Amino acid sequence: MRSVEEHQAVVDGLLPAMPAETVPLAEAHGRVLARDVVAQVPLPGFDNSAMDGYAGRWAELAAADGSPVRLPVAEDIPAGRTDVVPLAPGTVHRIMTGAPLPPGADVVVPVELTDAGTEVVEIRARPPIGSHLRAAGEDIAAGTMALSAGAPLAAAQLGLAAAVGVTELSVRSRPRVLILSTGSELVAPGRPLARGQIYESNSVLLAAAVEEAGGIPRRLHFVPDDVDQFLATVRAELAGADLLVTSGGVSAGAYEVVKDAFATLGTVEFGKVAMQPGGPQGAGTVDGVPVVTLPGNPVSAFVSFEVFVRPALRRALGHASPHRLRAPARLTSSLRSPAGRRQFLRGRYDAGEVSQVGGPGSHLVAHLARANCLVVVPEDVTELPAGAAVDVVLIEGALQ
């Protein structure tokens, strides 16, 4: 048997880094940055007020420590004003949040500490010197790195890119993933089921997982279980794909069409990985296109995708951290695990504790939908008591 790490390395080696492309800022959401972004301007771009209030000289407000001080309001500075004049001695400027600080001012008195006067203002307390000021460049200086290659571009990152003057970004192209579920027992949802048939769900599950990982999925429906027809259909669909992911047809049974068809090519290797669920695995190429073959039970397909395909896709996309977040947790109840296989159990993680969701069966997809983590039990552990420490892999999309 291969170890989990050995098979991860095989799958990782199939997918090269995706090429970079330049897209407008508005189209970069959810992509992965391919090149560093340098700030074109400082943030803030100028000294400005952090409060609505009055810009003044701290030393001239000393009397306000004991009794109110009245000073003339020489200027009004709304946000966006560009012709700000220096602060004359013995005066204050009424100023709004984000407006440029007048030269000479070293404090902003919040309007709440005044009578809000417009011609003469009564200042009732003096805040410490330097209060409520934002210094130019205190967030980021011009010419310094704003975003590093490998950063996923979510709302905050796109907001920063816009704030430093960027209009387009270099991002990794999204891998195009062809998804194929096999099995003569599969029927499209919505059609009547005959005895022995089930609704096909793996392609829906895997397409969503590919999209969440950053790829572009395309589902190939109901390819015949005949080896020749299967191979001909798949090869006709591979053009333009960066990866083919199949589910089903890779075990040791008599009708394993994926294994039988790809074995004739000699470019896809099949074997078992020391894990549960998801032991039967395959990886290689078909006509130069990387192929990863997953087992057919829904939970096995999901776990196999999480362990092998998702990190490979994210690494090809340039993610600085391709793996899911892990967290330490304490078991709420005892569990058993088979020796020699790494177990990935469905769990519910909350506030440092994790409870098992359902049994270990790879067909229990309803239990999978209620899980928000995978509990990882090492190969050499066969039993853990309640309260034992375990690692959990945090997954998304669980029902509340």
Side-chain angles (χ1 to χ4, degrees):
M1 277 192 195
R2 242 180 210 164
S3 70
V4 170
E5 288 76 16
E6 286 169 342
H7 196 64
Q8 282 175 331
V10 170
V11 175
D12 284 344
L14 293 175
L15 287 171
M18 297 301 295
E21 60 179 345
T22 300
V23 300
L25 188 62
E27 298 176 13
H29 183 236
R31 307 292 292 273
V32 180
L33 193 63
R35 294 190 180 89
D36 297 340
V37 172
V38 173
Q40 301 176 18
V41 296
L43 293 180
F46 47 86
D47 296 342
N48 68 85
S49 176
M51 298 282 285
D52 294 338
Y54 296 84
R57 285 186 169 87
W58 185 79
E60 294 177 350
L61 305 179
D65 292 340
S67 60
V69 171
R70 292 175 61 83
L71 291 171
V73 180
E75 293 282 341
D76 221 21
I77 313 176
R81 181 172 173 178
T82 58
D83 60 340
V84 176
V85 299
L87 180 68
T91 69
V92 294
H93 290 181
R94 190 169 72 147
I95 193 167
M96 302 299 114
T97 302
L101 194 71
D106 56 9
V107 70
V108 170
V109 180
V111 69
E112 293 83 359
L113 300 181
T114 75
D115 67 352
T118 57
E119 295 185 2
V120 175
V121 64
E122 182 176 277
I123 296 174
R124 298 162 179 162
R126 180 177 69 160
I129 190 170
S131 294
H132 313 305
L133 308 181
R134 300 168 178 163
E138 73 174 33
D139 190 7
I140 188 170
T144 60
M145 188 183 301
L147 295 168
S148 301
L153 297 171
Q157 290 74 32
L158 293 178
L160 173 57
V164 298
V166 171
T167 60
E168 55 185 24
L169 291 168
S170 177
V171 297
R172 293 288 176 187
S173 298
R174 297 176 66 192
R176 296 157 298 180
V177 183
L178 185 62
I179 296 167
L180 167 63
S181 292
T182 65
S184 57
E185 75 280 12
L186 301 179
V187 175
R191 295 183 180 181
L193 290 174
R195 184 174 177 81
Q197 293 181 326
I198 60 173
Y199 288 127
E200 195 280 311
S201 61
N202 279 1
S203 69
V204 175
L205 180 155
L206 292 172
V210 165
E211 198 160 23
E212 288 175 2
I216 301 173
R218 181 166 70 89
R219 294 159 63 196
L220 184 57
H221 291 287
F222 305 108
V223 176
D225 273 354
D226 176 82
V227 167
D228 292 335
Q229 290 185 59
F230 171 87
L231 201 53
T233 303
V234 169
R235 296 178 104 167
E237 298 287 341
L238 282 176
D242 297 302
L243 174 67
L244 169 64
V245 176
T246 70
S247 67
V250 296
S251 295
Y255 302 101
E256 306 293 346
V257 65
V258 173
K259 192 173 184 180
D260 294 342
F262 289 162
T264 65
L265 303 179
T267 54
V268 179
E269 183 181 1
F270 296 92
K272 286 195 172 183
V273 176
M275 63 185 283
Q276 190 180 42
Q281 301 286 339
T285 61
V286 173
D287 298 342
V289 176
V291 174
V292 179
T293 68
L294 310 178
N297 276 317
V299 178
S300 296
F302 176 84
V303 170
S304 298
F305 184 93
E306 284 288 320
V307 174
F308 303 119
V309 183
R310 187 179 191 274
L313 284 173
R314 286 170 57 84
R315 187 173 284 106
L317 278 165
H319 277 276
S321 300
H323 292 280
R324 291 278 197 194
L325 291 176
R326 288 192 173 219
R330 296 281 176 184
L331 290 172
T332 61
S333 59
S334 62
L335 61 81
R336 294 178 179 274
S337 182
R341 286 174 173 80
R342 189 173 308 175
Q343 190 85 206
F344 294 91
L345 300 170
R346 284 134 288 182
R348 191 77 192 178
Y349 173 81
D350 183 37
E353 292 189 331
V354 63
S355 55
Q356 190 173 342
V357 177
S362 56
H363 63 294
L364 301 175
V365 69
H367 292 148
L368 175 64
R370 289 192 286 271
N372 67 2
C373 71
L374 296 175
V375 182
V376 183
V377 183
E379 292 87 336
D380 59 350
V381 174
T382 57
E383 189 171 356
L384 289 170
V390 292
D391 275 348
V392 299
V393 179
L394 303 178
I395 58 176
E396 301 151 346
L399 295 175
Q400 297 303 312

